[in-house]
Amino acid sequence: MNAIATLDTARLDHLEWLESEAIYILREVAAECANPALLFSGGKDSCVLLRLAEKAFRPGVFPFPLLHIDTGHNFPEVIAFRDARTAELGERLIVRSVEDSMARGTVALRGPYESRNAAQSVTLLEAIAEFGFDACIGGARRDEEKARAKERVFSFRDEFGQWDPKAQRPELWNLYNARVHRGENVRVFPISNWTELDVWQYIAREQLALPPLYYAHEREVIRRNGLLVPVTPITPPAAGETIETLRVRFRTVGDISCTCPVASDATTTDEIVAETVVTDITERGATRMDDQTSEASMERRKREGYF
């Protein structure tokens, strides 16, 4: 009988139920997979995964390394937080860079300011092949985007690292199938059933530290296609665009070239929870430039090996 079935779920609040489910999934990965890795970028969802892994496996070490696919265009505050958090936990961190793939010629971009977000797929597949990972644990959630809503918790990838939404395995009664042949792998999403609000409520409850970008701060931005684009060397203003200094925060952090903040005065997790309750736009819809066109659709990228 699985761990969830033995709980008295009537006595659990919704965060406790989600936490129990996620811990069960993490332990299933450790039990069923020979060589898993946990994707850790320093973002809020992967910070939640780390706390869940602590609850699943401490006082022992994690039964998998941490893996980050670095675009080379990440916010420096997030990279600094990633390294500090990993050192605090005493866990092994593997970093593989899109820039290394570019040097090998496996990734080719049209220009220095082009988004490297989609290019992470290549570097991730190269890391999976290099280390022989049969499972990669990620923080994707179904509420983020409609293609991610099609994912199973254990999402199968073929020998080419590709995802076929029509060829996924059934998941009945919390039974997960992690069986793969050599070269195949699964992506595992323990917080798939969580929402952005759940994540922030859990961060507040657990008092989790996060990169400072998630909280309101003053930043130079420009307005472009309905988004607030941060002014950086990677995202400079175009001719005719006006630089403004606004109070903003990031709902999600990723490649600088495609990640935008939102206007906000929320400086605490409780204030962010209050903002999240009333928002009617998903975090990716409000903050990701490369999700604004069908050409860069999430489903196409996922079919090619994206997270």
Side-chain angles (χ1 to χ4, degrees), residues 13-277:
D13 67 24
H14 84 285
L15 284 183
E16 291 170 333
W17 196 97
L18 289 169
E19 179 187 71
S20 296
E21 179 188 51
I23 289 171
Y24 168 67
I25 291 166
L26 286 168
R27 289 172 174 166
E28 282 293 289
V29 175
E32 293 191 45
C33 300
N35 189 24
L38 188 150
L39 299 169
F40 178 60
S41 65
K44 70 180 189 307
D45 298 306
S46 57
C47 287
V48 167
L49 282 183
L50 285 193
R51 174 51 55 90
L52 293 167
E54 286 185 273
K55 293 194 175 188
F57 303 113
R58 286 295 192 239
V61 297
F62 296 169
F64 36 66
L66 310 181
L67 172 66
H68 183 214
I69 304 302
D70 185 355
T71 65
H73 283 175
N74 292 98
F75 290 96
E77 300 96 321
V78 179
I79 296 300
F81 178 87
R82 177 203 70 186
D83 293 342
R85 184 72 179 117
T86 302
E88 180 184 15
L89 288 171
E91 296 292 342
R92 177 189 176 201
L93 173 67
I94 298 169
V95 178
R96 290 295 179 267
S97 173
V98 170
E99 292 185 343
D100 293 335
S101 298
M102 293 167 64
R104 286 190 292 268
T106 52
V107 167
L109 300 177
R110 291 170 291 186
Y113 300 144
E114 182 182 357
S115 173
R116 299 178 178 181
N117 199 39
Q120 293 177 94
S121 303
V122 174
T123 310
L124 174 61
L125 294 178
E126 290 173 344
I128 289 171
E130 177 185 355
F131 293 97
F133 294 131
D134 59 352
C136 288
I137 306 163
R141 309 186 320 270
R142 291 191 175 111
D143 76 319
E144 291 181 273
E145 201 274 341
K146 59 186 178 182
R148 283 181 163 164
K150 297 179 182 180
E151 292 271 21
R152 298 288 195 265
V153 173
F154 277 58
S155 186
F156 174 74
R157 300 299 197 272
D158 65 19
E159 65 270 25
F160 302 105
Q162 296 178 328
W163 172 67
D164 182 355
K166 296 181 179 179
Q168 295 299 296
R169 297 161 173 176
E171 293 180 341
L172 305 175
W173 306 293
N174 299 311
L175 298 176
Y176 303 111
N177 183 355
R179 193 172 302 160
V180 294
H181 297 295
R182 183 179 297 275
E184 299 172 341
N185 67 90
V186 292
R187 309 287 170 81
V188 182
F189 305 112
I191 62 171
S192 185
N193 292 327
W194 297 41
T195 65
E196 183 185 10
L197 179 59
D198 294 328
V199 167
W200 277 110
Q201 289 176 327
Y202 192 76
I203 289 168
R205 192 189 81 175
E206 297 294 311
Q207 299 182 329
L208 298 184
L210 295 177
L213 296 178
Y214 280 109
Y215 299 95
H217 58 284
E218 289 193 346
R219 180 175 291 267
E220 289 188 339
V221 299
I222 53 177
R223 299 180 188 270
R224 183 182 297 166
N225 299 325
L227 298 174
L228 299 178
V229 179
V231 176
T232 72
I234 297 167
T235 52
E241 291 182 323
T242 302
I243 298 176
E244 303 176 63
T245 300
L246 299 179
R247 195 160 177 79
V248 299
R249 69 177 178 88
F250 287 82
R251 289 173 66 184
T252 179
V253 295
D255 191 271
I256 292 173
S257 64
C258 63
T259 306
C260 299
V262 295
S264 175
D265 290 316
T267 58
T268 68
T269 52
D270 288 340
E271 290 172 346
I272 291 175
V273 167
E275 280 190 356
T276 306
V277 167

